[in-house]
Every structure is written in structure tokens, then in C-alpha cells.
Short mmCIF file of all heavy atoms in Angstrom, two decimals:
data_model
loop_
_atom_site.label_atom_id
_atom_site.label_comp_id
_atom_site.label_asym_id
_atom_site.label_seq_id
_atom_site.Cartn_x
_atom_site.Cartn_y
_atom_site.Cartn_z
N MET A 1 0.84 -1.19 0.00
CA MET A 1 0.00 0.00 0.00
C MET A 1 0.88 1.25 0.00
O MET A 1 1.79 1.37 0.81
CB MET A 1 -0.87 -0.01 1.25
CG MET A 1 -1.75 1.18 1.37
SD MET A 1 -2.88 0.96 2.75
CE MET A 1 -2.74 2.53 3.50
N LYS A 2 0.62 2.15 -0.93
CA LYS A 2 1.39 3.38 -1.02
C LYS A 2 0.93 4.36 0.06
O LYS A 2 -0.26 4.63 0.19
CB LYS A 2 1.23 4.00 -2.39
CG LYS A 2 2.06 5.24 -2.56
CD LYS A 2 1.95 5.77 -3.97
CE LYS A 2 2.81 7.01 -4.07
NZ LYS A 2 2.73 7.63 -5.36
N GLN A 3 1.89 4.88 0.80
CA GLN A 3 1.59 5.88 1.81
C GLN A 3 1.90 7.24 1.21
O GLN A 3 3.05 7.56 0.93
CB GLN A 3 2.41 5.62 3.07
CG GLN A 3 2.05 4.32 3.74
CD GLN A 3 2.88 4.07 4.98
OE1 GLN A 3 3.76 4.83 5.35
NE2 GLN A 3 2.59 2.96 5.63
N ASN A 4 0.89 8.04 1.01
CA ASN A 4 1.04 9.33 0.36
C ASN A 4 0.73 10.46 1.33
O ASN A 4 -0.05 11.35 1.03
CB ASN A 4 0.14 9.39 -0.89
CG ASN A 4 0.53 10.53 -1.81
OD1 ASN A 4 1.66 11.01 -1.76
ND2 ASN A 4 -0.39 10.95 -2.64
N TRP A 5 1.32 10.38 2.50
CA TRP A 5 1.12 11.44 3.49
C TRP A 5 2.39 11.53 4.33
O TRP A 5 3.32 10.77 4.14
CB TRP A 5 -0.12 11.17 4.35
CG TRP A 5 -0.14 9.85 5.09
CD1 TRP A 5 -0.67 8.68 4.64
CD2 TRP A 5 0.41 9.56 6.38
NE1 TRP A 5 -0.49 7.69 5.57
CE2 TRP A 5 0.17 8.20 6.66
CE3 TRP A 5 1.07 10.32 7.34
CZ2 TRP A 5 0.57 7.60 7.86
CZ3 TRP A 5 1.46 9.71 8.52
CH2 TRP A 5 1.20 8.36 8.77
N GLY A 6 2.43 12.46 5.25
CA GLY A 6 3.61 12.64 6.10
C GLY A 6 4.65 13.47 5.39
O GLY A 6 4.37 14.56 4.89
N ILE A 7 5.87 12.95 5.29
CA ILE A 7 6.98 13.66 4.68
C ILE A 7 6.66 14.07 3.25
O ILE A 7 7.16 15.07 2.76
CB ILE A 7 8.26 12.78 4.72
CG1 ILE A 7 8.65 12.48 6.18
CG2 ILE A 7 9.42 13.43 3.97
CD1 ILE A 7 8.88 13.68 7.06
N SER A 8 5.81 13.33 2.58
CA SER A 8 5.47 13.67 1.20
C SER A 8 4.89 15.08 1.08
O SER A 8 4.94 15.68 0.00
CB SER A 8 4.50 12.64 0.61
OG SER A 8 3.32 12.59 1.38
N ALA A 9 4.37 15.64 2.16
CA ALA A 9 3.86 17.02 2.13
C ALA A 9 4.97 18.02 1.86
O ALA A 9 4.70 19.15 1.44
CB ALA A 9 3.16 17.35 3.44
N ALA A 10 6.23 17.63 2.07
CA ALA A 10 7.36 18.52 1.84
C ALA A 10 8.04 18.27 0.50
O ALA A 10 9.04 18.90 0.18
CB ALA A 10 8.38 18.35 2.97
N ALA A 11 7.51 17.34 -0.29
CA ALA A 11 8.11 17.01 -1.59
C ALA A 11 7.67 18.02 -2.65
O ALA A 11 6.63 18.66 -2.52
CB ALA A 11 7.70 15.60 -2.02
N THR A 12 8.48 18.14 -3.68
CA THR A 12 8.11 19.00 -4.81
C THR A 12 7.38 18.16 -5.85
O THR A 12 7.64 16.95 -5.97
CB THR A 12 9.34 19.65 -5.45
OG1 THR A 12 10.26 18.64 -5.84
CG2 THR A 12 10.01 20.61 -4.52
N PRO A 13 6.48 18.76 -6.61
CA PRO A 13 5.78 18.01 -7.66
C PRO A 13 6.78 17.37 -8.63
O PRO A 13 7.76 18.00 -9.03
CB PRO A 13 4.94 19.08 -8.36
CG PRO A 13 4.78 20.16 -7.33
CD PRO A 13 6.04 20.15 -6.53
N GLY A 14 6.55 16.13 -8.97
CA GLY A 14 7.44 15.42 -9.86
C GLY A 14 8.61 14.73 -9.18
O GLY A 14 9.35 13.99 -9.80
N ASN A 15 8.83 15.03 -7.91
CA ASN A 15 9.88 14.40 -7.11
C ASN A 15 9.25 13.77 -5.86
O ASN A 15 9.29 14.36 -4.79
CB ASN A 15 10.94 15.42 -6.67
CG ASN A 15 11.79 15.89 -7.81
OD1 ASN A 15 12.20 15.09 -8.65
ND2 ASN A 15 12.05 17.18 -7.87
N PRO A 16 8.66 12.61 -6.00
CA PRO A 16 7.99 12.01 -4.84
C PRO A 16 8.98 11.69 -3.72
O PRO A 16 10.16 11.44 -3.96
CB PRO A 16 7.36 10.75 -5.41
CG PRO A 16 8.14 10.44 -6.63
CD PRO A 16 8.65 11.75 -7.17
N ALA A 17 8.48 11.70 -2.52
CA ALA A 17 9.29 11.37 -1.35
C ALA A 17 9.45 9.86 -1.23
O ALA A 17 8.59 9.09 -1.65
CB ALA A 17 8.61 11.91 -0.09
N ALA A 18 10.57 9.46 -0.67
CA ALA A 18 10.76 8.07 -0.24
C ALA A 18 10.53 8.10 1.26
O ALA A 18 11.21 8.83 1.99
CB ALA A 18 12.17 7.60 -0.57
N LEU A 19 9.54 7.37 1.74
CA LEU A 19 9.18 7.53 3.14
C LEU A 19 8.63 6.27 3.78
O LEU A 19 8.25 5.32 3.09
CB LEU A 19 8.15 8.65 3.29
CG LEU A 19 6.83 8.45 2.56
CD1 LEU A 19 5.78 7.91 3.51
CD2 LEU A 19 6.38 9.75 1.95
N LYS A 20 8.59 6.31 5.10
CA LYS A 20 7.92 5.28 5.89
C LYS A 20 7.17 5.99 7.00
O LYS A 20 7.72 6.83 7.71
CB LYS A 20 8.95 4.30 6.48
CG LYS A 20 8.33 3.24 7.38
CD LYS A 20 7.35 2.36 6.62
CE LYS A 20 6.74 1.31 7.53
NZ LYS A 20 5.31 1.28 7.48
N ASN A 21 5.90 5.68 7.11
CA ASN A 21 5.04 6.28 8.12
C ASN A 21 4.62 5.24 9.15
O ASN A 21 4.60 4.04 8.85
CB ASN A 21 3.78 6.86 7.48
CG ASN A 21 4.09 7.97 6.50
OD1 ASN A 21 4.92 8.82 6.75
ND2 ASN A 21 3.43 7.96 5.36
N GLY A 22 4.26 5.71 10.32
CA GLY A 22 3.73 4.83 11.34
C GLY A 22 2.72 5.56 12.20
O GLY A 22 2.73 6.78 12.29
N TRP A 23 1.82 4.81 12.82
CA TRP A 23 0.80 5.40 13.68
C TRP A 23 0.38 4.38 14.70
O TRP A 23 0.44 3.18 14.46
CB TRP A 23 -0.39 5.90 12.87
CG TRP A 23 -1.05 4.82 12.07
CD1 TRP A 23 -2.12 4.06 12.42
CD2 TRP A 23 -0.65 4.34 10.78
NE1 TRP A 23 -2.44 3.16 11.44
CE2 TRP A 23 -1.52 3.30 10.41
CE3 TRP A 23 0.37 4.68 9.89
CZ2 TRP A 23 -1.41 2.61 9.21
CZ3 TRP A 23 0.47 3.99 8.71
CH2 TRP A 23 -0.42 2.98 8.37
N LEU A 24 -0.03 4.87 15.85
CA LEU A 24 -0.37 3.97 16.95
C LEU A 24 -1.25 4.70 17.96
O LEU A 24 -0.88 5.80 18.41
CB LEU A 24 0.93 3.53 17.64
CG LEU A 24 0.84 2.66 18.88
CD1 LEU A 24 0.35 1.26 18.51
CD2 LEU A 24 2.19 2.59 19.55
N PRO A 25 -2.38 4.14 18.31
CA PRO A 25 -3.12 4.72 19.43
C PRO A 25 -2.30 4.45 20.70
O PRO A 25 -1.76 3.36 20.87
CB PRO A 25 -4.44 3.98 19.44
CG PRO A 25 -4.24 2.75 18.62
CD PRO A 25 -3.05 2.99 17.73
N THR A 26 -2.16 5.44 21.56
CA THR A 26 -1.26 5.31 22.70
C THR A 26 -1.83 4.50 23.85
O THR A 26 -1.11 4.16 24.77
CB THR A 26 -0.87 6.70 23.25
OG1 THR A 26 -2.04 7.34 23.76
CG2 THR A 26 -0.21 7.55 22.20
N GLY A 27 -3.11 4.23 23.82
CA GLY A 27 -3.74 3.52 24.93
C GLY A 27 -4.47 4.47 25.87
O GLY A 27 -5.28 4.06 26.67
N ARG A 28 -4.12 5.75 25.77
CA ARG A 28 -4.87 6.76 26.52
C ARG A 28 -6.04 7.19 25.65
O ARG A 28 -5.97 7.16 24.44
CB ARG A 28 -3.98 7.96 26.84
CG ARG A 28 -2.79 7.60 27.73
CD ARG A 28 -1.98 8.84 28.12
NE ARG A 28 -1.62 9.70 27.02
CZ ARG A 28 -0.47 9.67 26.36
NH1 ARG A 28 0.43 8.78 26.67
NH2 ARG A 28 -0.22 10.53 25.40
N ALA A 29 -7.10 7.61 26.26
CA ALA A 29 -8.30 8.02 25.51
C ALA A 29 -7.97 9.13 24.52
O ALA A 29 -7.33 10.12 24.88
CB ALA A 29 -9.39 8.49 26.47
N GLN A 30 -8.35 8.94 23.28
CA GLN A 30 -8.18 9.91 22.21
C GLN A 30 -6.75 10.45 22.14
O GLN A 30 -6.52 11.65 22.17
CB GLN A 30 -9.15 11.06 22.38
CG GLN A 30 -10.59 10.63 22.24
CD GLN A 30 -11.55 11.79 22.35
OE1 GLN A 30 -11.23 12.83 22.89
NE2 GLN A 30 -12.74 11.61 21.83
N SER A 31 -5.78 9.55 22.06
CA SER A 31 -4.39 9.96 22.00
C SER A 31 -3.63 9.08 21.00
O SER A 31 -3.56 7.87 21.18
CB SER A 31 -3.75 9.85 23.38
OG SER A 31 -2.41 10.26 23.35
N TRP A 32 -3.09 9.70 19.97
CA TRP A 32 -2.38 8.99 18.91
C TRP A 32 -0.95 9.48 18.79
O TRP A 32 -0.65 10.65 18.96
CB TRP A 32 -3.07 9.23 17.57
CG TRP A 32 -4.32 8.44 17.38
CD1 TRP A 32 -5.55 8.72 17.93
CD2 TRP A 32 -4.48 7.25 16.63
NE1 TRP A 32 -6.46 7.78 17.55
CE2 TRP A 32 -5.82 6.85 16.74
CE3 TRP A 32 -3.62 6.49 15.86
CZ2 TRP A 32 -6.32 5.73 16.12
CZ3 TRP A 32 -4.13 5.37 15.23
CH2 TRP A 32 -5.46 4.99 15.37
N THR A 33 -0.05 8.55 18.45
CA THR A 33 1.32 8.86 18.07
C THR A 33 1.43 8.59 16.56
O THR A 33 1.00 7.54 16.10
CB THR A 33 2.32 7.97 18.83
OG1 THR A 33 2.20 8.25 20.22
CG2 THR A 33 3.74 8.21 18.37
N VAL A 34 1.98 9.55 15.82
CA VAL A 34 2.15 9.42 14.39
C VAL A 34 3.58 9.83 14.05
O VAL A 34 4.08 10.84 14.57
CB VAL A 34 1.15 10.32 13.61
CG1 VAL A 34 1.42 10.31 12.13
CG2 VAL A 34 -0.28 9.88 13.89
N ASN A 35 4.25 9.04 13.20
CA ASN A 35 5.59 9.40 12.77
C ASN A 35 5.72 9.26 11.27
O ASN A 35 4.97 8.53 10.63
CB ASN A 35 6.65 8.57 13.49
CG ASN A 35 6.61 7.12 13.08
OD1 ASN A 35 6.92 6.77 11.95
ND2 ASN A 35 6.22 6.25 14.00
N SER A 36 6.70 9.98 10.73
CA SER A 36 7.00 9.90 9.30
C SER A 36 8.49 10.21 9.13
O SER A 36 9.00 11.16 9.73
CB SER A 36 6.15 10.90 8.52
OG SER A 36 6.36 10.77 7.13
N ILE A 37 9.18 9.40 8.36
CA ILE A 37 10.59 9.63 8.07
C ILE A 37 10.83 9.33 6.60
O ILE A 37 10.22 8.43 6.03
CB ILE A 37 11.52 8.76 8.96
CG1 ILE A 37 12.99 9.12 8.72
CG2 ILE A 37 11.25 7.28 8.77
CD1 ILE A 37 13.93 8.53 9.74
N GLY A 38 11.68 10.15 5.99
CA GLY A 38 11.96 9.92 4.58
C GLY A 38 12.84 10.98 3.99
O GLY A 38 13.33 11.87 4.68
N THR A 39 13.04 10.88 2.68
CA THR A 39 13.85 11.85 1.96
C THR A 39 13.01 12.58 0.93
O THR A 39 12.09 12.01 0.35
CB THR A 39 15.04 11.17 1.25
OG1 THR A 39 14.55 10.21 0.33
CG2 THR A 39 15.97 10.53 2.26
N VAL A 40 13.35 13.83 0.72
CA VAL A 40 12.75 14.64 -0.33
C VAL A 40 13.88 15.34 -1.08
O VAL A 40 14.94 15.62 -0.52
CB VAL A 40 11.74 15.69 0.21
CG1 VAL A 40 10.52 15.02 0.80
CG2 VAL A 40 12.38 16.60 1.24
N GLU A 41 13.65 15.59 -2.35
CA GLU A 41 14.63 16.26 -3.21
C GLU A 41 14.18 17.69 -3.46
O GLU A 41 13.02 17.94 -3.78
CB GLU A 41 14.73 15.54 -4.55
CG GLU A 41 15.15 14.09 -4.46
CD GLU A 41 16.64 13.94 -4.17
OE1 GLU A 41 17.43 14.82 -4.55
OE2 GLU A 41 16.99 12.93 -3.55
N HIS A 42 15.12 18.64 -3.28
CA HIS A 42 14.85 20.04 -3.57
C HIS A 42 16.10 20.67 -4.16
O HIS A 42 17.17 20.63 -3.53
CB HIS A 42 14.46 20.82 -2.30
CG HIS A 42 13.05 20.62 -1.87
ND1 HIS A 42 12.01 21.36 -2.37
CD2 HIS A 42 12.50 19.75 -0.99
CE1 HIS A 42 10.88 20.95 -1.81
NE2 HIS A 42 11.15 19.98 -0.97
N ASP A 43 15.98 21.22 -5.34
CA ASP A 43 17.08 21.94 -5.98
C ASP A 43 18.39 21.16 -5.96
O ASP A 43 19.45 21.70 -5.63
CB ASP A 43 17.27 23.31 -5.31
CG ASP A 43 16.04 24.19 -5.41
OD1 ASP A 43 15.36 24.12 -6.46
OD2 ASP A 43 15.76 24.92 -4.46
N GLY A 44 18.33 19.87 -6.25
CA GLY A 44 19.53 19.05 -6.31
C GLY A 44 20.04 18.57 -4.96
O GLY A 44 21.10 17.95 -4.88
N HIS A 45 19.32 18.86 -3.91
CA HIS A 45 19.71 18.42 -2.56
C HIS A 45 18.75 17.36 -2.06
O HIS A 45 17.53 17.49 -2.22
CB HIS A 45 19.69 19.60 -1.57
CG HIS A 45 20.64 20.69 -1.93
ND1 HIS A 45 21.98 20.62 -1.67
CD2 HIS A 45 20.43 21.88 -2.53
CE1 HIS A 45 22.57 21.71 -2.09
NE2 HIS A 45 21.64 22.50 -2.63
N THR A 46 19.29 16.33 -1.45
CA THR A 46 18.47 15.31 -0.80
C THR A 46 18.40 15.64 0.68
O THR A 46 19.43 15.77 1.35
CB THR A 46 19.08 13.91 -0.99
OG1 THR A 46 19.19 13.63 -2.39
CG2 THR A 46 18.21 12.85 -0.33
N LEU A 47 17.19 15.81 1.18
CA LEU A 47 16.99 16.15 2.59
C LEU A 47 16.34 14.97 3.30
O LEU A 47 15.35 14.41 2.82
CB LEU A 47 16.07 17.37 2.71
CG LEU A 47 16.53 18.63 1.96
CD1 LEU A 47 15.44 19.69 2.04
CD2 LEU A 47 17.83 19.15 2.53
N LEU A 48 16.90 14.59 4.44
CA LEU A 48 16.32 13.56 5.28
C LEU A 48 15.49 14.25 6.35
O LEU A 48 15.99 15.14 7.05
CB LEU A 48 17.40 12.71 5.94
CG LEU A 48 16.93 11.67 6.96
CD1 LEU A 48 16.03 10.64 6.29
CD2 LEU A 48 18.12 11.01 7.62
N VAL A 49 14.22 13.88 6.45
CA VAL A 49 13.30 14.53 7.38
C VAL A 49 12.62 13.47 8.23
O VAL A 49 12.17 12.44 7.71
CB VAL A 49 12.22 15.34 6.60
CG1 VAL A 49 11.31 16.07 7.56
CG2 VAL A 49 12.87 16.30 5.62
N ALA A 50 12.56 13.73 9.52
CA ALA A 50 11.85 12.83 10.45
C ALA A 50 10.94 13.67 11.33
O ALA A 50 11.34 14.73 11.82
CB ALA A 50 12.83 12.05 11.30
N VAL A 51 9.71 13.21 11.52
CA VAL A 51 8.73 13.91 12.34
C VAL A 51 8.04 12.91 13.25
O VAL A 51 7.68 11.81 12.82
CB VAL A 51 7.67 14.60 11.43
CG1 VAL A 51 6.61 15.28 12.26
CG2 VAL A 51 8.32 15.59 10.48
N LEU A 52 7.85 13.30 14.49
CA LEU A 52 7.12 12.48 15.47
C LEU A 52 6.11 13.37 16.17
O LEU A 52 6.45 14.44 16.67
CB LEU A 52 8.07 11.87 16.50
CG LEU A 52 7.42 11.12 17.66
CD1 LEU A 52 6.71 9.87 17.15
CD2 LEU A 52 8.45 10.78 18.71
N THR A 53 4.85 12.96 16.17
CA THR A 53 3.82 13.66 16.92
C THR A 53 3.29 12.72 17.99
O THR A 53 3.35 11.50 17.85
CB THR A 53 2.65 14.12 16.03
OG1 THR A 53 1.89 12.99 15.61
CG2 THR A 53 3.16 14.87 14.81
N ASP A 54 2.77 13.28 19.05
CA ASP A 54 2.23 12.47 20.14
C ASP A 54 1.08 13.22 20.80
O ASP A 54 1.09 14.45 20.86
CB ASP A 54 3.33 12.19 21.17
CG ASP A 54 2.90 11.20 22.23
OD1 ASP A 54 2.18 10.24 21.90
OD2 ASP A 54 3.26 11.40 23.40
N GLY A 55 0.10 12.48 21.25
CA GLY A 55 -0.99 13.08 22.01
C GLY A 55 -2.05 13.76 21.17
O GLY A 55 -2.85 14.53 21.71
N ARG A 56 -2.09 13.49 19.88
CA ARG A 56 -3.14 14.07 19.04
C ARG A 56 -4.43 13.31 19.28
O ARG A 56 -4.43 12.12 19.54
CB ARG A 56 -2.77 13.98 17.55
CG ARG A 56 -1.49 14.67 17.16
CD ARG A 56 -1.58 16.20 17.25
NE ARG A 56 -1.18 16.66 18.57
CZ ARG A 56 -1.54 17.82 19.09
NH1 ARG A 56 -2.30 18.65 18.45
NH2 ARG A 56 -1.12 18.17 20.28
N PRO A 57 -5.58 13.98 19.18
CA PRO A 57 -6.85 13.33 19.51
C PRO A 57 -7.29 12.28 18.51
O PRO A 57 -8.07 11.39 18.85
CB PRO A 57 -7.85 14.49 19.56
CG PRO A 57 -7.23 15.58 18.75
CD PRO A 57 -5.74 15.41 18.89
N THR A 58 -6.80 12.37 17.26
CA THR A 58 -7.15 11.39 16.22
C THR A 58 -5.92 11.10 15.37
O THR A 58 -4.95 11.88 15.35
CB THR A 58 -8.26 11.91 15.27
OG1 THR A 58 -7.75 13.05 14.56
CG2 THR A 58 -9.53 12.28 16.04
N GLN A 59 -5.98 10.00 14.63
CA GLN A 59 -4.91 9.69 13.70
C GLN A 59 -4.78 10.80 12.66
O GLN A 59 -3.68 11.24 12.33
CB GLN A 59 -5.18 8.35 13.01
CG GLN A 59 -4.10 7.96 12.01
CD GLN A 59 -4.46 6.70 11.24
OE1 GLN A 59 -5.60 6.25 11.23
NE2 GLN A 59 -3.47 6.13 10.58
N ARG A 60 -5.90 11.27 12.12
CA ARG A 60 -5.90 12.34 11.11
C ARG A 60 -5.23 13.59 11.66
O ARG A 60 -4.47 14.26 10.96
CB ARG A 60 -7.34 12.63 10.67
CG ARG A 60 -7.54 13.82 9.78
CD ARG A 60 -6.76 14.03 8.53
NE ARG A 60 -6.35 12.96 7.70
CZ ARG A 60 -5.29 13.02 6.88
NH1 ARG A 60 -4.55 14.11 6.79
NH2 ARG A 60 -4.96 12.02 6.12
N ALA A 61 -5.49 13.96 12.91
CA ALA A 61 -4.88 15.15 13.52
C ALA A 61 -3.36 14.97 13.61
O ALA A 61 -2.60 15.92 13.38
CB ALA A 61 -5.47 15.42 14.89
N GLY A 62 -2.90 13.78 13.93
CA GLY A 62 -1.47 13.50 13.98
C GLY A 62 -0.83 13.59 12.61
O GLY A 62 0.27 14.13 12.45
N ILE A 63 -1.51 13.07 11.60
CA ILE A 63 -1.01 13.14 10.23
C ILE A 63 -0.92 14.60 9.78
O ILE A 63 0.09 15.02 9.20
CB ILE A 63 -1.91 12.32 9.28
CG1 ILE A 63 -1.72 10.82 9.56
CG2 ILE A 63 -1.62 12.66 7.82
CD1 ILE A 63 -2.72 9.93 8.86
N THR A 64 -1.95 15.37 10.04
CA THR A 64 -1.96 16.78 9.66
C THR A 64 -0.80 17.53 10.30
O THR A 64 -0.09 18.29 9.64
CB THR A 64 -3.31 17.43 10.03
OG1 THR A 64 -4.35 16.77 9.31
CG2 THR A 64 -3.32 18.91 9.71
N LEU A 65 -0.58 17.30 11.59
CA LEU A 65 0.52 17.96 12.28
C LEU A 65 1.87 17.51 11.73
O LEU A 65 2.77 18.33 11.53
CB LEU A 65 0.44 17.70 13.78
CG LEU A 65 1.52 18.39 14.63
CD1 LEU A 65 1.50 19.90 14.42
CD2 LEU A 65 1.33 18.02 16.09
N ALA A 66 2.02 16.23 11.45
CA ALA A 66 3.27 15.72 10.89
C ALA A 66 3.55 16.36 9.53
O ALA A 66 4.70 16.74 9.23
CB ALA A 66 3.22 14.20 10.77
N GLU A 67 2.53 16.50 8.71
CA GLU A 67 2.70 17.12 7.39
C GLU A 67 3.08 18.59 7.53
O GLU A 67 3.97 19.08 6.81
CB GLU A 67 1.44 16.96 6.56
CG GLU A 67 1.21 15.53 6.13
CD GLU A 67 -0.08 15.31 5.38
OE1 GLU A 67 -1.02 16.10 5.51
OE2 GLU A 67 -0.12 14.30 4.64
N GLN A 68 2.45 19.30 8.43
CA GLN A 68 2.78 20.71 8.65
C GLN A 68 4.21 20.86 9.14
O GLN A 68 4.95 21.74 8.69
CB GLN A 68 1.81 21.34 9.65
CG GLN A 68 0.41 21.48 9.13
CD GLN A 68 -0.59 21.86 10.22
OE1 GLN A 68 -0.32 21.74 11.41
NE2 GLN A 68 -1.76 22.30 9.80
N ALA A 69 4.62 20.00 10.06
CA ALA A 69 5.98 20.07 10.61
C ALA A 69 7.02 19.76 9.53
O ALA A 69 8.05 20.43 9.44
CB ALA A 69 6.13 19.10 11.78
N ALA A 70 6.76 18.75 8.70
CA ALA A 70 7.69 18.39 7.62
C ALA A 70 7.84 19.54 6.64
O ALA A 70 8.97 19.91 6.27
CB ALA A 70 7.22 17.13 6.91
N ALA A 71 6.74 20.10 6.21
CA ALA A 71 6.79 21.21 5.24
C ALA A 71 7.51 22.42 5.84
O ALA A 71 8.32 23.05 5.16
CB ALA A 71 5.38 21.58 4.80
N THR A 72 7.26 22.73 7.09
CA THR A 72 7.90 23.86 7.75
C THR A 72 9.40 23.63 7.90
O THR A 72 10.21 24.53 7.66
CB THR A 72 7.25 24.12 9.12
OG1 THR A 72 5.87 24.42 8.92
CG2 THR A 72 7.91 25.27 9.85
N ALA A 73 9.79 22.42 8.27
CA ALA A 73 11.21 22.10 8.45
C ALA A 73 11.96 22.22 7.12
O ALA A 73 13.05 22.81 7.06
CB ALA A 73 11.37 20.70 9.03
N VAL A 74 11.40 21.67 6.06
CA VAL A 74 12.06 21.72 4.75
C VAL A 74 12.14 23.17 4.27
O VAL A 74 13.17 23.61 3.76
CB VAL A 74 11.35 20.81 3.74
CG1 VAL A 74 11.80 21.11 2.31
CG2 VAL A 74 11.61 19.36 4.10
N GLU A 75 11.08 23.92 4.46
CA GLU A 75 11.09 25.33 4.06
C GLU A 75 12.21 26.08 4.78
O GLU A 75 12.94 26.87 4.18
CB GLU A 75 9.74 25.96 4.39
CG GLU A 75 9.59 27.40 3.96
CD GLU A 75 8.21 27.95 4.30
OE1 GLU A 75 7.22 27.37 3.83
OE2 GLU A 75 8.15 28.94 5.04
N ALA A 76 12.38 25.83 6.08
CA ALA A 76 13.43 26.48 6.86
C ALA A 76 14.82 26.05 6.37
O ALA A 76 15.73 26.89 6.25
CB ALA A 76 13.27 26.16 8.35
N LEU A 77 15.00 24.78 6.07
CA LEU A 77 16.29 24.30 5.56
C LEU A 77 16.64 24.93 4.23
O LEU A 77 17.80 25.27 3.97
CB LEU A 77 16.27 22.78 5.42
CG LEU A 77 16.36 21.98 6.72
CD1 LEU A 77 16.09 20.51 6.45
CD2 LEU A 77 17.72 22.18 7.36
N LEU A 78 15.65 25.11 3.38
CA LEU A 78 15.89 25.68 2.06
C LEU A 78 16.25 27.16 2.12
O LEU A 78 16.89 27.69 1.20
CB LEU A 78 14.69 25.46 1.14
CG LEU A 78 14.40 24.01 0.79
CD1 LEU A 78 13.10 23.89 0.01
CD2 LEU A 78 15.57 23.38 0.02
N ARG A 79 15.88 27.84 3.18
CA ARG A 79 16.21 29.26 3.34
C ARG A 79 17.62 29.46 3.88
O ARG A 79 18.14 30.58 3.85
CB ARG A 79 15.22 29.94 4.28
CG ARG A 79 13.91 30.27 3.63
CD ARG A 79 13.09 31.10 4.54
NE ARG A 79 12.85 30.29 5.75
CZ ARG A 79 11.73 30.27 6.44
NH1 ARG A 79 10.76 31.04 6.10
NH2 ARG A 79 11.59 29.51 7.48
N MET A 80 18.24 28.40 4.41
CA MET A 80 19.58 28.54 4.98
C MET A 80 20.59 28.80 3.86
O MET A 80 20.49 28.22 2.79
CB MET A 80 19.96 27.28 5.76
CG MET A 80 19.10 27.05 6.98
SD MET A 80 19.52 25.54 7.86
CE MET A 80 21.11 25.99 8.51
N PRO A 81 21.55 29.67 4.14
CA PRO A 81 22.58 29.98 3.12
C PRO A 81 23.49 28.78 2.86
O PRO A 81 23.67 27.92 3.62
CB PRO A 81 23.35 31.15 3.70
CG PRO A 81 22.99 31.25 5.13
CD PRO A 81 21.73 30.46 5.34
#
């Protein structure tokens, strides 16, 4: 099954991410752990990105936060001189 979420949110069109995602209900009521790790290509650079979220009320909320964090991290890396 193709996982098209997580680090892929930081990929550029035409350059899909290589990634592995994971998710797990923590055992506490309405609490999920979601992770995503992988590589994305930007301007000839390969970036390794890893994101871990914890305590989100739903799996979808964890995925959304992981995608936002990945995109923000890559954006910050690309601005570095």
C-alpha cells in the first residue's frame, strides 16, 4: 500500500518522497502517536526529514501535524545559506 502522506507534504511536484510512516493509538483516551521519516529532493539536494507527533486526539490530527511540521522544516532548511 502506497503511503502518500507525512513527509510527502514537503516534496516537490514530480519528485515524490521516499518515506515510511507509522501510527499507533497510545492507549490513553483519544491519543495517537504518528511518525514519518523519509527523503525529499529540492534543488539538487536530498533532505532527510523525520517527524514524530504524540498526544493528538485522532490519527488524522497526527497526520496533519506531521505534514505541517515536515513542510515547515524543509522550508526552513531551504532558506539557509
Side-chain angles (χ1 to χ4, degrees):
M1 179 173 135
K2 183 176 180 183
Q3 295 179 359
N4 196 22
W5 57 268
I7 298 304
S8 59
T12 56
N15 289 317
L19 61 97
K20 177 62 180 128
N21 298 317
W23 58 95
L24 176 70
T26 64
R28 298 184 311 264
Q30 295 183 339
S31 181
W32 283 78
T33 297
V34 174
N35 68 67
S36 184
I37 185 168
T39 60
V40 293
E41 301 285 331
H42 281 274
D43 300 324
H45 299 281
T46 301
L47 304 173
L48 174 63
V49 183
V51 177
L52 174 66
T53 71
D54 187 39
R56 301 291 90 202
T58 65
Q59 179 186 16
R60 172 52 35 205
I63 289 170
T64 298
L65 182 57
E67 290 177 337
Q68 291 169 344
T72 299
V74 166
E75 183 179 302
L77 286 170
L78 294 174
R79 282 188 298 217
M80 294 178 69

